[in-house]
Amino acid sequence: MKRLIGLLYLCLLWFPFVSYPLPGDCDGGKDCEKKHDFFYKIENKIKTVFNDYGFRGDFLIAVVDECGVNGYAVINRNIIEGRYTDLNIDSPFYIASHTKAFTGALMCMLDEEGTLDLNKFIADYLLELNFGGGINTADITLKSLLNHTHGIFSVRLTWKTAFLGYSGLNSEILEDINNDFIYDPSHKFRYSNVGTIVAAIIAEKVTGKNWKELMREKIFVPLKMEHTSCNVSDYNADLIRPSVIVSRNNEIISSGFYKKDITMHASGGIISTTKDLSLWLAANIRQDEILMNKKSWILLHSPSALQNRKYFTYDRFGYGLGWDIAEYNGDTILTRFGGYAGISCHISFIPKKKIGIIAFSTDNRAFLLPHLMANYVYNLMSERDAESIIENELAFFREAFLKQNNLSYPSDSLLLQANNRNDAITGIYQTDSWPSIEIKKSGNYYNFIWGVLKGKIYLKDDSSFTTNTGVIIRDFKIKNDTLFTGSLIFIKNMKK
């Protein structure tokens, strides 16, 4: 393994456009040539795929061992076209659902210190969550909340916490779940955001500190993750890597970062940097007791639920308390990915080889690129025929790319033009238990504002409209001061 890790320390003269070394032991001999060759292959493969598919946005990949980042590579159009880029391992980006691995670790830490017991039940901690008597919460353990076997699903909770925003009060979240839920009594593995969010509410109740405070105190500070936060407001918004939505004509439809503090939650609510995430991933690789003991790490990383799902090239057979456990080319690999509005985050490691990958992309059509390139690096390190393997994997990659590339987006030619007749639709529309929708005039067009999301309004057909908020495309109709979208009905507030 030492020899394989040695390949990752790179000579500076070989990184003219995308790859960057961290300090290593390159002495100009044969070892240095191997290091050159290793990242030169990665650099060229990234450039080839990026150009072949006309990707926009950013891409970054880093290799991590027990000590942190060994080397990394970046690419975007600025780099390809010879312009300056500020993309590097200190660039903040949203890790989306990899947040679940952090929350799982937090809950294991609280269990270890005796603050709560993961084998106890919701009813032991959260009587306010009662589902109107429709579910027996004495049958649902805290562990099952973290491994997706709890069986609880709530559309309202998911939309408000991830997309739209809400008051920020746990009482509102609990009311949403109590009154809007679906329950699967089989307790089979079914992935959702609900369990981790409920677990975080329990953690707040037993500690008196909210999830964001606990993450900082228990994980970010001990690991010296100084540029990691659960609040968007802690960053210069212009520096967070934005998602980029691209049309089939390779035109940028929208670009931006659409999260607010209120939509940063325990299932998807961390912004970090590659350098900081390398400290987190390295701690997982070595099971660092600065956070918790080996028994707790094993609890986090070992299968506590069975699954039989394939994602891209990964045969997932288990789930720990925040990590998917899968097989890839004969290796057991732990992964926890994340995606949001075009951003795709890959974080994985192979425990036996004590090596991991961090990668992310921001072009919506490139959501599999972090996984494709992570595989390429793993295969190079394992001295497999990486070139043949990536050619095979590219077949599935192309299929996924074409599906995204062929998506339709509202055309500017159909933008609803502002005029006296159309002004009649402006106003605030309300319904019970959901954020209000505001139709607001802005210059020569109108905006659809739902909670924290906003998008221009386009004509869909003679009787309906559509909007692209960057996160979701939403169709709606307005008739007699009533707004219909999906199954929801909003009534215009006529008060002046």
Side-chain angles (χ1 to χ4, degrees):
M1 190 63 217
K2 227 173 170 185
R3 182 176 65 82
L4 290 174
I5 295 298
L7 295 177
L8 304 176
Y9 291 106
L10 312 169
C11 290
L12 186 60
L13 59 90
W14 278 80
F15 306 107
F17 93 102
V18 294
S19 302
Y20 300 84
L22 297 189
D25 58 355
C26 181
D27 58 5
K30 289 184 177 180
D31 285 344
C32 190
E33 291 178 9
K34 290 180 180 179
K35 297 163 194 171
H36 291 166
D37 183 60
F38 184 85
F39 246 85
Y40 186 64
K41 286 180 180 178
I42 297 170
E43 172 183 292
N44 278 335
K45 188 61 66 176
I46 294 169
K47 183 179 180 182
T48 297
V49 175
F50 216 82
N51 280 332
D52 284 350
Y53 290 86
F55 287 132
R56 312 292 289 267
D58 298 317
F59 176 76
L60 183 149
I61 186 166
V63 183
V64 178
D65 69 0
E66 294 174 278
C67 300
V69 178
N70 280 294
Y72 72 101
V74 299
I75 193 168
N76 55 29
R77 302 317 297 183
N78 283 342
I79 292 171
I80 288 174
E81 295 167 14
R83 298 189 298 270
Y84 167 76
T85 184
D86 58 356
L87 177 63
N88 57 53
I89 57 173
D90 292 314
S91 299
F93 67 98
Y94 178 57
I95 70 169
S97 283
H98 186 80
T99 302
K100 293 179 177 70
F102 279 91
T103 304
L106 170 66
M107 296 298 287
C108 287
M109 295 166 72
L110 295 176
D111 176 84
E112 179 183 308
E113 66 187 35
T115 303
L116 52 76
D117 185 340
L118 292 177
N119 291 312
K120 285 190 174 181
F121 303 91
I122 292 177
D124 294 318
Y125 296 101
L126 201 59
L127 292 176
E128 302 95 314
L129 185 59
N130 53 48
F131 302 96
I135 301 175
N136 182 4
T137 57
D139 285 341
I140 302 172
T141 66
L142 273 59
K143 188 180 293 184
S144 71
L145 292 174
L146 299 172
N147 68 16
H148 305 288
T149 59
H150 50 83
I152 309 163
F153 306 90
S154 174
V155 173
R156 192 190 303 166
L157 173 144
T158 301
W159 274 67
K160 288 167 74 170
T161 54
F163 305 124
L164 305 176
Y166 64 106
S167 67
L169 299 175
N170 288 340
S171 57
E172 180 179 347
I173 293 298
L174 294 172
E175 183 180 355
D176 284 336
I177 309 176
N178 282 333
N179 293 287
D180 176 54
F181 66 88
I182 299 171
Y183 182 56
D184 176 8
S186 74
H187 293 284
K188 292 181 179 178
F189 179 92
R190 287 185 64 185
Y191 184 86
S192 79
N193 283 353
V194 172
T196 318
I197 291 172
V198 172
I201 292 173
I202 291 172
E204 178 173 345
K205 186 165 185 182
V206 299
T207 64
K209 298 177 181 178
N210 67 38
W211 170 78
K212 294 181 179 183
E213 294 173 309
L214 290 169
M215 292 301 297
R216 182 180 181 278
E217 175 187 314
K218 297 287 188 179
I219 299 179
F220 302 159
V221 170
L223 292 181
K224 295 182 170 56
M225 298 175 69
E226 297 175 354
H227 303 287
T228 300
S229 177
C230 302
N231 283 313
V232 180
S233 58
D234 286 337
Y235 299 86
N236 179 336
D238 293 335
L239 298 181
I240 301 172
R241 309 318 291 192
S243 68
V244 180
I245 308 299
V246 185
S247 73
R248 68 188 71 181
N249 298 321
N250 213 32
E251 297 174 349
I252 294 178
I253 299 295
S254 61
S255 177
F257 183 67
Y258 307 103
K259 281 284 185 176
K260 305 293 183 182
D261 287 354
I262 195 58
T263 53
M264 298 286 279
H265 55 87
S267 282
I270 294 175
I271 295 171
S272 190
T273 67
T274 305
K275 187 182 289 184
D276 270 16
L277 287 170
S278 74
L279 301 174
W280 157 251
L281 187 53
N284 276 267
I285 290 170
R286 64 178 180 264
Q287 298 189 342
D288 196 326
E289 296 197 16
I290 193 172
L291 294 185
M292 52 191 173
N293 62 34
K294 298 293 184 183
K295 183 179 178 180
S296 296
W297 280 112
I298 291 170
L299 180 63
L300 179 67
H301 292 158
S302 299
S304 62
L306 299 178
Q307 57 173 317
N308 183 17
R309 303 187 303 160
K310 190 176 184 72
Y311 179 78
F312 189 39
T313 57
Y314 310 106
D315 293 313
R316 293 172 170 173
F317 61 84
Y319 195 92
L321 299 185
W323 290 87
D324 287 287
I325 301 147
E327 188 273 338
Y328 175 69
N329 275 351
D331 288 321
T332 296
I333 182 171
L334 271 68
T335 71
R336 179 85 301 267
F337 305 147
Y340 190 84
I343 294 170
S344 179
C345 170
H346 173 115
I347 300 179
S348 67
F349 69 103
I350 300 176
K352 188 175 181 180
K353 295 180 177 178
K354 297 189 180 302
I355 199 73
I357 303 288
I358 299 166
F360 76 89
S361 63
T362 61
D363 183 324
N364 66 299
R365 306 164 305 162
F367 71 98
L368 287 182
L369 185 60
H371 316 317
L372 179 78
M373 290 310 306
N375 290 353
Y376 184 71
V377 174
Y378 280 132
N379 289 324
L380 282 177
M381 294 176 65
S382 298
E383 298 183 343
R384 303 185 184 109
D385 187 350
E387 301 303 327
S388 294
I389 294 171
I390 198 171
E391 283 304 312
N392 290 331
E393 294 180 355
L394 274 167
F396 188 85
F397 180 86
R398 289 187 195 99
E399 182 181 337
F401 166 82
L402 289 173
K403 189 174 293 185
Q404 285 291 314
N405 197 52
N406 288 330
L407 293 176
S408 296
Y409 298 94
S411 168
D412 283 345
S413 65
L414 296 176
L415 197 65
L416 182 66
Q417 297 298 313
N419 57 44
N420 289 338
R421 181 171 60 85
N422 290 334
D423 284 352
I425 70 171
T426 61
I428 296 174
Y429 297 79
Q430 297 173 317
T431 192
D432 290 341
S433 304
W434 286 84
S436 62
I437 293 173
E438 182 177 8
I439 306 295
K440 190 173 183 179
K441 188 175 179 178
S442 180
N444 66 340
Y445 62 89
Y446 301 91
N447 275 319
F448 178 97
I449 304 167
W450 193 7
V452 302
L453 298 182
K454 180 171 74 173
K456 294 179 181 179
I457 297 177
Y458 301 84
L459 286 167
K460 184 174 176 64
D461 53 42
D462 291 340
S463 62
S464 63
F465 309 96
T466 191
T467 183
N468 178 9
T469 67
V471 181
I472 54 173
I473 294 176
R474 193 73 177 177
D475 296 338
F476 64 98
K477 295 182 179 182
I478 298 176
K479 184 178 180 181
N480 297 329
D481 294 326
T482 302
L483 187 152
F484 305 86
T485 178
S487 61
L488 299 177
I489 300 173
F490 292 75
I491 306 299
K492 191 173 185 177
N493 185 339
M494 304 305 291
K495 293 181 181 179
K496 296 293 185 181

